[in-house]
Amino acid sequence: MLCLPMNARFPKCRLRSCLVVWAWGCGCVVLLPAAILADTRFGVLDAPSWQQPDDADLRAQIDHWLTTQALTASERAHVLDHLALRTTDALAYDDSLDWLAELIASIDQRAAQLVTHCQAAVAENPQPDFAWLADPNVALLVRANMRLYYARWLVQVGWYDEALSQLAGITSEQVIDPAALMFYQAIAHHHLVQPDRADALVTRLLERESQLPVRYQQLVRLMRKDTATLQEDSLDHIARRMADIQRRLVQGRAGQKVQAIERGVIESLDKLIEELEKQQQQQSQQGQAGANPSGSPMQ
């Protein structure tokens, strides 16, 4: 550890790798290696596991993708106007995904069909198969962000399994809005009565709570509070799974997955009934012992 007086000069490159701490009462600056920041043995919290994408890097990805597209003059003009919107105050933090989806849709007809589908007021049953979203030949920028765009809509209309399927394998570094990625994953897991998975995502989101949209902050806090006292095989846990079964049946799904959930609910109900019967039997025995403490036959 190096201790310097306040008026000392220090190379900027070295400062970047150090944590500067003002030592109260001794008039000096204490420089600690930045690696300590990520080591909980020193009592310092880990750095957040995710961050917003860098605008310059995002623009580079978009520019690279555009070079692979055959654009007309009008399309190129529209793209330039759309890109200019990104640099203005008119674009809110949580509008980023819509902004990128609209940009992609203005060039890619498949993306345009997907955006039109997600803007429909009624969810179709079954859902259309947008197979191109899984095509590795599609640019990752397009593939990852349009899958997130589609999954967000699936969550909003109650198709949670399908949403999680779309989001599987996508990382926070691959999308323009990593907070939306984790938020809608958490919502889906919460509705599928998978509290541990939902809470893990809530924990990651809260690493950058101050940067989240207000509605995200409020809802993730509510999710955490809602599941804090949820116990497996409790009546509340059973009721939530029964509601999940009802949702699936309304959507016209009665396959093996629904049947497996039903069997789990029946097993939980049997276990709960058995526990209640044991409690009742113990209370009955305690009552009899209290009425005749000596254990001898009553007169």
Side-chain angles (χ1 to χ4, degrees):
M1 180 174 68
L2 180 64
C3 186
L4 296 177
M6 283 299 295
N7 60 354
R9 296 181 179 275
F10 206 67
K12 291 183 179 179
C13 61
R14 181 65 186 278
L15 284 174
R16 291 193 190 100
S17 63
C18 297
L19 169 64
V20 181
V21 180
W22 166 250
W24 178 259
C26 67
C28 63
V29 174
V30 179
L31 300 177
L32 297 176
I36 291 178
L37 286 173
D39 195 336
T40 55
R41 292 176 302 170
F42 294 90
V44 183
L45 294 177
D46 291 339
S49 60
W50 64 278
Q51 62 182 4
Q52 281 296 112
D54 181 74
D55 280 347
D57 181 59
L58 176 65
R59 179 60 185 265
Q61 291 182 54
I62 294 174
D63 288 342
H64 175 72
W65 172 66
L66 290 174
T67 61
T68 66
Q69 307 299 307
L71 302 180
T72 64
S74 60
E75 287 175 336
R76 189 172 297 279
H78 173 78
V79 166
L80 291 175
D81 290 342
H82 206 76
L83 289 173
L85 179 64
R86 177 75 178 172
T87 62
T88 68
D89 294 333
L91 184 63
Y93 171 97
D94 50 343
D95 290 336
S96 297
L97 182 59
D98 291 304
W99 173 83
L100 183 57
E102 291 172 7
L103 173 63
I104 295 171
S106 68
I107 300 171
D108 190 314
Q109 184 60 35
R110 297 169 302 180
Q113 293 173 352
L114 176 57
V115 169
T116 299
H117 173 78
C118 293
Q119 291 175 346
V122 180
E124 298 179 16
N125 185 15
Q127 290 298 312
D129 182 18
F130 295 104
W132 64 273
L133 290 173
D135 185 353
N137 294 319
V138 176
L140 181 60
L141 172 75
V142 175
R143 183 165 23 105
N145 285 283
M146 294 310 298
R147 283 170 62 186
L148 174 56
Y149 183 86
Y150 184 33
R152 181 185 66 177
W153 179 82
L154 287 168
V155 168
Q156 292 170 348
V157 296
W159 292 80
Y160 307 116
D161 293 283
E162 290 77 6
L164 291 175
S165 178
Q166 288 294 332
L167 297 176
I170 300 177
T171 66
S172 59
E173 296 81 13
Q174 295 172 342
V175 293
I176 192 173
D177 192 351
L181 170 65
M182 291 179 283
F183 177 76
Y184 286 103
Q185 283 177 314
I187 291 288
H189 284 303
H190 183 80
H191 280 280
L192 293 175
V193 200
Q194 298 168 347
D196 291 342
R197 296 180 182 180
D199 194 63
L201 290 158
V202 166
T203 298
R204 288 195 68 197
L205 279 166
L206 292 176
E207 291 172 359
R208 293 187 179 275
E209 182 177 5
S210 62
Q211 299 178 17
L212 299 177
V214 174
R215 70 177 188 279
Y216 282 17
Q217 296 178 25
Q218 294 174 342
L219 287 173
V220 296
R221 289 290 183 186
L222 287 173
M223 276 194 288
R224 170 155 289 181
K225 184 177 181 181
D226 181 54
T227 57
T229 58
L230 182 63
Q231 297 181 354
E232 189 172 356
D233 292 329
S234 65
L235 195 58
D236 184 17
H237 189 242
I238 293 170
R240 292 174 190 236
R241 286 183 288 163
M242 292 178 68
D244 182 40
I245 292 170
Q246 182 182 19
R247 175 187 62 83
R248 294 172 185 274
L249 293 176
V250 169
Q251 292 173 340
R253 294 183 289 183
Q256 294 182 355
K257 190 162 189 175
V258 175
Q259 294 171 13
I261 299 173
E262 290 174 340
R263 287 193 296 270
V265 167
I266 293 173
E267 291 173 1
S268 296
L269 284 170
D270 289 341
K271 188 184 298 184
L272 183 61
I273 292 171
E274 184 178 353
E275 291 176 357
L276 291 173
E277 288 177 342
K278 286 181 180 179
Q279 292 177 7
Q280 187 176 15
Q281 185 177 8
Q282 291 173 355
Q283 291 173 357
S284 177
Q285 291 173 350
Q286 291 172 358
Q288 292 176 1
N292 185 20
S294 65
S296 60
M298 296 182 65
Q299 297 291 334

